[in-house]
Amino acid sequence: MTNLIPVMGYLLLSLIITRWWSHRQSQKGDRLYGDKAKRFFIGGAFLNGPLLALTLVATYTSASSFIGGPGAAYKMGLGWVWLALIQVPVAILTLGGLGPKFLSQRHGHATLIEWLDARYHSPLLSHIAVVSLVTGFIAMIAVQFIGGARLFSGVSGISYELGLALFVVTVLVYTLTGGFRAVVLTDALQGIVMLLGLLLLFSGILFQAPLPELMATVSHYSPQMLEPHGVSDALGWPMMLSFWVLICFGTMGLPHTLVRLLAVKDSSALKRGMVWGTIICFLMTLLPHLCGVLGRALYPDLSVPDEIMPSLISGIFPPFWAGVLLAAPIAAVMSSVDSMLLQSAVSLIRDGALKKWPSLSSAMQVRLTRMALLLVTLIASYWALDPPEMIVWINLAAFGALQAVFLWPIIAGVFLPSVNGVSALTSMVAGLISYLLLQIAAPFMWHIHPIVPALLLSLLVMLASHLWQNRSKAVTSEC
């Protein structure tokens, strides 16, 4: 338990710092939004370049990146590191592709679904979006809880169940005590801690043995670990190209990253965010996955691959410093789970309950949002009680489901003004149903992730609906 003391001290200190920081800047949100609810939900247009980059990458990197990803690299080798690096251009795609459009269309929306409402005027589309967002986030939150619990138990020696309870309570304290602005500022601090911790861990591994010696040991265990397509060619070109869609191009359809675009300060912040975001994403992707591969040389017989990061931290460093270093992966998990918890709760209240009861006061909206936070946390905690050996696949499956629902309606919403709510709705339904059917019945058919055929079908359905409506209007006008 001794090595939990420094990380709990860090979590308490970061809570105090970020809440103080958020309070100092809260007047900026007051000037933009007059009601308490919007200040809690979005916090104003306050994201500058470095802050935008840190919160974007910190939210995108999660337990999958720091626990599941290194676990997959531990099992499959350098091919998984190469696959993971596909996501490096995320900041360029999101901030450079969608950022200017969102900035020009900003009308004080507090959620992404409010933006979809204003763009498409389709209640059914909004209902499906809310249900998909909350369900997908609950699955992803459960993954974060599993990752956090494994970190606490792996480094400190406590039971998985106690580690889960400790992590869930910590998450609730963080999320319940602040709104979107506080979450973003927490993400920024956690992003800095992540980078420092990863550099220390990677340096600690290299102190155990020179890099060539470590790689030779990995190769001795399995020469295919150093092959570009992984063990047994599991990561061939079809898989690589489909993952380019899943973890790079498709990220433009992830609600928890796009909501940051509603709080960008100006176009200068977008440009600086792209530069800083790409550099930070590269380091946060390369270092943990490379640690997973090198960990095979130090701990070759782990039965659960996801235990490699806790094993490295607790095995290389003395108990106190292992606790200090534990702050880095905990920061990665916290920075994702607080954003998803807040956005799922906000969607339930702002995009659900408020439409049914529009007379809800701002104070009541915030109160109900906190109650929804507790409910989502309880559901995700229940799912996390029986964890799988590798969490990366659950996280990627939820990623794909959200992209199948949101990607084309969002891209059409900013680039194709003639596409209406009917076409966007058909795209959303086709994408979701086809993705779920493929995920259940034929995952990785022909070594292609289900997101690729699902997005292709979703796009074709949207374009066909759009063309059919235009033709119907032309025929009607001729008559």
Side-chain angles (χ1 to χ4, degrees):
M1 291 288 288
T2 304
N3 45 8
L4 278 182
I5 295 175
V7 75
M8 297 308 295
Y10 156 74
L11 291 172
L12 178 61
L13 183 62
S14 66
L15 179 68
I16 294 171
I17 291 172
T18 54
R19 294 314 179 262
W20 170 80
W21 189 5
S22 174
H23 178 73
R24 285 287 301 267
Q25 296 193 12
S26 62
Q27 291 182 347
K28 299 176 183 178
D30 297 348
R31 288 196 293 269
L32 181 63
Y33 298 128
D35 66 87
K36 179 182 178 181
K38 277 198 172 182
R39 291 198 302 271
F40 184 84
F41 296 154
I42 196 65
F46 66 100
L47 290 178
N48 58 28
L51 191 59
L52 176 61
L54 282 168
T55 185
L56 183 75
V57 178
T59 300
Y60 181 66
T61 54
S62 60
S64 181
S65 302
F66 275 70
I67 306 297
Y74 174 88
K75 184 175 182 179
M76 300 185 188
L78 286 177
W80 192 270
V81 180
W82 182 25
L83 181 145
L85 288 172
I86 292 170
Q87 64 195 292
V88 170
V90 162
I92 295 175
L93 279 173
T94 305
L95 302 182
L98 298 179
K101 295 290 185 179
F102 270 83
L103 199 60
S104 65
Q105 296 178 16
R106 182 164 58 197
H107 300 291
H109 302 305
T111 70
L112 180 65
I113 294 173
E114 276 189 13
W115 179 86
L116 288 171
D117 270 341
R119 171 61 178 83
Y120 290 115
H121 308 288
S122 172
L124 183 56
L125 182 147
S126 299
H127 294 331
I128 293 175
V130 171
V131 172
S132 302
L133 184 148
V134 173
T135 305
F137 276 179
I138 287 175
M140 294 172 72
I141 290 165
V143 168
Q144 312 312 311
F145 285 171
I146 293 168
R150 281 180 172 162
L151 283 169
F152 277 143
S153 63
V155 174
S156 66
I158 61 176
S159 68
Y160 172 84
E161 290 75 16
L162 181 58
L164 177 63
L166 185 61
F167 184 72
V168 168
V169 170
T170 305
V171 166
L172 280 176
V173 170
Y174 264 76
T175 314
L176 288 172
T177 57
F180 180 80
R181 182 184 290 267
V183 164
V184 165
L185 296 176
T186 301
D187 289 350
L189 179 60
Q190 309 286 38
I192 295 170
V193 172
M194 276 186 261
L195 279 174
L196 294 175
L198 281 172
L199 290 170
L200 285 173
L201 178 59
F202 187 67
S203 300
I205 293 173
L206 294 183
F207 272 115
Q208 303 303 303
L211 182 60
E213 182 179 328
L214 290 171
M215 298 301 285
T217 305
V218 172
S219 178
H220 176 74
Y221 181 84
S222 173
Q224 290 183 320
M225 290 280 292
L226 305 187
E227 295 293 328
H229 296 297
V231 176
S232 302
D233 284 331
L235 306 175
W237 281 113
M239 176 74 81
M240 289 285 183
L241 293 174
S242 64
F243 266 71
W244 184 89
V245 176
L246 178 66
I247 63 175
C248 189
F249 175 75
T251 56
M252 291 190 289
L254 293 178
H256 55 301
T257 55
L258 290 178
V259 73
R260 269 105 184 115
L261 298 180
L262 301 177
V264 174
K265 182 181 290 186
D266 49 35
S267 58
S268 176
L270 286 174
K271 295 174 183 176
R272 296 175 67 196
M274 279 190 287
V275 175
W276 283 106
T278 302
I279 296 171
I280 294 169
C281 189
F282 172 75
L283 293 173
M284 286 192 183
T285 302
L286 176 65
L287 292 176
H289 290 85
L290 199 52
C291 287
V293 175
L294 298 178
R296 193 63 175 260
L298 302 177
Y299 300 95
D301 300 317
L302 292 180
S303 58
V304 179
D306 284 356
E307 292 179 353
I308 183 57
M309 289 296 269
S311 298
L312 287 171
I313 292 172
S314 59
I316 293 176
F317 297 91
F320 177 83
W321 291 109
V324 172
L325 200 62
L326 181 61
I330 287 293
V333 181
M334 289 286 297
S335 62
S336 294
V337 73
D338 58 5
S339 297
M340 288 184 280
L341 261 179
L342 180 63
Q343 195 171 351
S344 56
V346 166
S347 290
L348 285 171
I349 305 306
R350 185 81 182 183
D351 303 315
L354 186 61
K355 291 178 180 177
K356 188 173 179 62
W357 298 288
S359 60
L360 285 174
S361 66
S362 293
M364 180 57 71
Q365 290 178 49
V366 174
R367 194 174 303 120
L368 289 174
T369 299
R370 290 191 168 117
M371 293 174 64
L373 273 168
L374 290 171
L375 176 62
V376 171
T377 301
L378 286 174
I379 297 172
S381 300
Y382 177 76
W383 282 9
L385 284 173
D386 186 21
E389 288 188 3
M390 294 182 67
I391 61 176
V392 65
W393 302 117
I394 300 176
N395 202 58
L396 291 175
F399 255 48
L402 290 172
Q403 292 170 16
V405 171
F406 287 100
L407 180 62
W408 296 126
I410 288 170
I411 290 180
V414 296
F415 292 111
L416 301 172
S418 60
V419 172
N420 62 17
V422 174
S423 298
L425 176 61
T426 56
S427 169
M428 187 177 282
V429 172
L432 179 61
I433 292 176
S434 61
Y435 179 80
L436 292 177
L437 289 176
L438 287 168
Q439 187 72 40
I440 294 169
F444 297 104
M445 182 172 56
W446 301 308
H447 299 286
I448 295 174
H449 193 277
I451 192 60
V452 175
L455 286 181
L456 285 174
L457 178 63
S458 176
L459 177 61
L460 290 174
V461 167
M462 183 178 71
L463 294 176
S465 172
H466 179 59
L467 292 174
W468 180 80
Q469 290 180 75
N470 286 345
R471 180 170 295 181
S472 298
K473 290 177 183 177
V475 171
T476 302
S477 62
E478 289 175 4
C479 295

